[in-house]
């Protein structure tokens, strides 16, 4: 069991079969504050029998870059994608889903810290809330933790105070200045930044030298941050 995204698409996709794009809602789990998940699109690819053409047609309609479409795996239109009842049944065999609001997530963090001496990050706590709601909290359940709670102390401090010391490596960067490089919103620009940072392309003199996490680059962000 693991936590999914704070927006409702992953939770509604499994119960009712609709993948809907809505307004981003800011939460205490910032890594989940997204509306379209590339990981979920990969799952749809396998759900559709590894058929890229069917997936592409539905996703282009979903993103608004293609015409509304109905094919053998579902119906796609701007900001909405629905799978067939047969595929929804199969998805329900692969997944269960639940949701957790801010109050439930913080209450879980507080409970496990006080009762079990374990400090969850808000992302990981969502998975535990889901386990409890689904009635699956038993000795055979494994919840995959997403991150160290120290990365999200602003959220955790709302229910755990005082906080334990940060790990040395994380504590060392707290007082360092943050630097950034603005990058045009284009695939080529992102690729060039990666090549520059790993030394496979000459760095233009006007570009600030910083270490940019490759994970952020892979997400195609327009701005890159690093300590």
């Amino acid at each position: 069991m693991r936590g999914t995204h704070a927006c409702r698409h992953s939770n509604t996709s499994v119960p009712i079969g609709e993948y809907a794009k809505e307004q981003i809602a800011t939460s205490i789990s910032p890594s989940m504050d997204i509306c379209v998940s590339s990981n979920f699109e990969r799952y749809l690819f396998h759900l559709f029998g590894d058929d890229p053409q069917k997936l592409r047609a539905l996703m282009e309609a979903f993103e608004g870059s293609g015409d509304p479409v109905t094919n053998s795996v579902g119906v796609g239109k701007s900001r909405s994608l629905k799978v067939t009842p047969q595929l929804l049944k199969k998805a329900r065999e692969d997944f269960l889903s639940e949701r957790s609001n801010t109050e439930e997530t913080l209450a879980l963090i507080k409970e496990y810290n006080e009762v079990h001496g374990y400090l969850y990050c808000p992302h990981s706590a969502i998975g535990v809330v889901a386990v409890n709601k689904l009635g699956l909290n038993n000795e055979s359940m494994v919840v995959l933790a997403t991150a160290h709670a120290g990365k999200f102390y602003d959220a955790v401090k709302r229910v755990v105070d005082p906080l334990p010391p940060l790990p040395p490596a994380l504590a060392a960067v707290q007082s360092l200045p943050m630097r950034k490089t603005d990058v045009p919103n284009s695939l080529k620009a992102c690729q060039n930044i990666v090549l520059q940072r790993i030394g496979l392309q000459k760095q233009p003199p006007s570009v600030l030298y910083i270490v940019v996490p490759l994970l952020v680059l892979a997400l195609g962000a327009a701005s890159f941050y690093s300590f």
Side-chain angles (χ1 to χ4, degrees), residues 5-174:
H5 307 282
C7 54
R8 63 187 286 268
H9 72 68
S10 292
N11 189 54
T12 57
S13 301
V14 179
I16 67 174
E18 181 180 9
Y19 183 38
K21 184 177 181 180
E22 300 182 348
Q23 194 71 23
I24 292 178
T26 303
S27 75
I28 61 170
S29 304
S31 296
M32 298 180 181
D33 294 345
I34 61 174
C35 282
V36 178
S37 167
S38 59
N39 290 328
F40 191 68
E41 186 175 340
R42 294 187 187 102
Y43 172 71
L44 290 178
F45 172 72
H46 295 303
L47 185 65
F48 296 166
D50 296 355
D51 189 322
Q53 301 302 326
K54 293 177 181 177
L55 176 62
R56 181 179 296 112
L58 290 180
M59 289 305 300
E60 287 179 349
F62 174 79
E63 293 288 358
S65 60
D67 295 329
V69 63
T70 299
N71 58 27
S72 62
V73 295
V75 178
K77 61 181 180 179
S78 180
R79 307 178 72 87
S80 175
L81 188 159
K82 295 181 179 180
V83 299
T84 64
Q86 293 82 6
L87 288 179
L88 176 57
K89 181 180 179 180
K90 185 178 186 305
R92 286 172 172 167
E93 294 173 355
D94 294 332
F95 293 103
L96 294 173
S97 69
E98 257 298 347
R99 65 178 66 194
S100 173
N101 61 31
T102 298
E103 291 72 23
E104 291 169 330
T105 302
L106 290 174
L108 189 287
I109 293 172
K110 179 179 175 65
E111 175 192 350
Y112 270 69
N113 181 67
E114 293 179 350
V115 176
H116 304 289
Y118 187 89
L119 189 58
Y120 275 112
C121 86
H123 306 71
S124 307
I126 290 173
V128 184
V129 172
V131 165
N132 291 339
K133 286 187 173 183
L134 293 168
L136 298 175
N137 194 338
N138 56 53
E139 66 277 1
S140 64
M141 173 56 65
V142 176
V143 177
L144 302 180
T146 307
H148 191 282
K151 293 180 63 178
F152 309 99
Y153 263 7
D154 286 345
V156 176
K157 192 173 182 179
R158 292 167 63 173
V159 290
V160 178
D161 193 11
L163 293 166
L166 288 170
L170 189 55
V173 302
Q174 298 304 304

Side-chain angles (χ1 to χ4, degrees), residues 153-195:
Y153 263 7
D154 286 345
V156 176
K157 192 173 182 179
R158 292 167 63 173
V159 290
V160 178
D161 193 11
L163 293 166
L166 288 170
L170 189 55
V173 302
Q174 298 304 304
S175 59
L176 294 179
M178 181 178 290
R179 297 175 290 176
K180 75 172 183 176
T181 295
D182 292 328
V183 181
N185 185 16
S186 76
L187 176 61
K188 186 65 175 177
C190 291
Q191 291 172 335
N192 287 340
I193 284 289
V194 174
L195 294 174

